[in-house]
Amino acid sequence: MSYSANVKDMIKTNRKNSKLAKFEKIIPFLLFLAASISVLTTLGILVTLSFETILFFQNVSFREFFLQPELRPLNPTNPQFSILPLLGATLLSTGIAMLVAVPIGLTTAVYLSEYATDKVRRILKPLVEVLAGIPTIVYGFFAFTFVTPVLREFIPALERTNILSPGIVMGIMIIPIVASLSEDAMSSVPNSIREGAMALGATKFEVAFRVVIPAAISGIIASFVLGISRAIGETMIVAIASGSTKNLTFDVTQSMQTMTAYIVEVTSGDAGAGTTAYYSLYAVAMTLFVFTLAMNMFARYMTKRFREVY
């Protein structure tokens, strides 16, 4: 007991005599400050959007903004503000993107997790993830100059700017998110579960789709929701390739404008500062913020709801 007490006294003495003693007292505060940066940034964005959005809704009613089908912010005689055309285009492009990203990304994850050798996985996975590092403006020009002309060979009615080609290209961009996160979730499933299924006579395909995927479903769903959030917030691809037509339609061959593309248009100087059209970009941005926040909360809920503990 005395030996232990002597050791503690020695530690206290060394700490008091250490030149770093004062700095060690500051470390917890510095770490707390670093951890608070993301929270303070989010609060700052929320406060900024809230003040400007309030100014917008002083001139435009909630009913007009959320229920009226037409958006004509720069009409000099009868300006109309509705988020429905923008919301419809955003959801439509996101749906097209997920139709591309989910099957390709999930099958890629299954191959990497269940079929590929370690050597192939070390080579193929980084190559797939390279797609996530390509600048989105490059994807935008790729959609406008290559994908759209190719699609017009098969769909003559496709307009030069449309929602189909940027949706497809966004899906290609999202593939690494779905594939990488889903593969990580599948790889975390213990091999004992696979071996037990094979011992009962299951094939490798049955093990992958009836055992591994259900066991990793929480991580897979999280990758889907993260991909959806990424598609909803995408800007440059739709700004270049989808056009600026503010129509509420579900015809993928027509030109449309998403919420992010509308924000780009307004901030480019088409609307004067202090006008209702100018403040409308903050209302759209707030809607986008709330929408993305809801998707992230849904992802957290689904992850906790279907999480498997081994």
Side-chain angles (χ1 to χ4, degrees):
M1 181 68 70
S2 60
Y3 177 77
S4 176
N6 291 335
V7 171
K8 290 181 179 179
D9 292 337
M10 291 173 61
I11 293 174
K12 291 180 179 179
T13 303
N14 290 333
R15 285 181 176 176
K16 291 180 179 178
N17 296 333
S18 175
K19 296 180 180 179
L20 298 177
K22 294 182 178 179
F23 180 70
E24 289 180 354
K25 294 180 180 179
I26 304 176
I27 287 178
F29 173 76
L30 296 177
L31 295 176
F32 173 78
L33 184 62
S36 302
I37 289 177
S38 59
V39 178
L40 294 175
T41 303
T42 303
L43 291 176
I45 293 172
L46 184 60
V47 169
T48 302
L49 292 178
S50 298
F51 280 117
E52 308 297 341
T53 302
I54 292 172
L55 293 176
F56 170 76
F57 282 113
Q58 288 177 351
N59 299 318
V60 179
S61 65
F62 282 94
R63 180 182 179 84
E64 178 182 354
F65 187 69
F66 290 106
L67 298 179
Q68 181 178 298
E70 295 185 357
L71 174 61
R72 299 175 183 174
L74 301 179
N75 190 319
T77 58
N78 184 26
Q80 296 176 316
F81 300 93
S82 172
I83 200 171
L84 290 183
L86 306 178
L87 185 61
T90 301
L91 295 179
L92 192 58
S93 62
T94 301
I96 295 171
M98 296 311 295
L99 286 177
V100 174
V102 168
I104 298 177
L106 187 57
T107 52
T108 301
V110 171
Y111 173 75
L112 291 174
S113 175
E114 306 302 317
Y115 290 91
T117 62
D118 290 338
K119 182 178 180 180
V120 173
R121 187 183 298 110
R122 286 195 299 268
I123 296 174
L124 187 57
K125 188 173 181 180
L127 291 178
V128 173
E129 293 176 346
V130 164
L131 291 173
I134 299 176
T136 57
I137 193 170
V138 176
Y139 278 118
F141 280 112
F142 174 70
F144 183 72
T145 60
F146 179 79
V147 177
T148 296
V150 170
L151 290 177
R152 294 182 77 178
E153 295 294 327
F154 301 95
I155 310 175
L158 191 69
E159 297 183 5
R160 195 162 184 263
T161 55
N162 57 84
I163 205 66
L164 180 59
S165 60
I168 293 174
V169 174
M170 277 198 299
I172 296 173
M173 180 189 65
I174 295 170
I175 287 175
I177 297 176
V178 176
S180 182
L181 295 180
S182 297
E183 192 272 334
D184 291 339
M186 294 178 190
S187 298
S188 65
V189 176
N191 286 328
S192 58
I193 296 180
R194 297 179 175 86
E195 295 168 356
M198 289 183 177
L200 294 174
T203 64
K204 203 172 188 65
F205 181 84
E206 290 174 332
V207 170
F209 284 89
R210 294 190 175 185
V211 177
V212 177
I213 289 181
I217 193 65
S218 62
I220 294 173
I221 292 176
S223 72
F224 292 169
V225 177
L226 185 60
I228 292 173
S229 299
R230 181 69 180 84
I232 290 174
E234 174 52 38
T235 303
M236 293 310 302
I237 297 177
V238 290
I240 294 173
S242 69
S244 58
T245 306
K246 303 169 180 60
N247 289 331
L248 179 59
T249 177
F250 295 99
D251 186 356
V252 296
T253 64
Q254 294 187 15
S255 173
M256 301 181 193
Q257 189 174 56
T258 63
M259 289 189 284
T260 52
Y262 177 79
I263 294 173
V264 172
E265 178 186 2
V266 175
T267 54
S268 64
D270 290 343
T275 62
T276 304
Y278 174 78
Y279 288 125
S280 67
L281 78 88
Y282 291 97
V284 173
M286 175 61 80
T287 305
L288 184 62
F289 178 85
V290 173
F291 205 92
T292 306
L293 179 63
M295 293 301 301
N296 291 335
M297 293 178 63
F298 176 73
R300 290 177 60 86
Y301 167 76
M302 296 299 292
T303 301
K304 292 181 180 180
R305 173 68 176 77
F306 295 100
R307 177 178 294 172
E308 298 286 348
V309 180
Y310 302 105

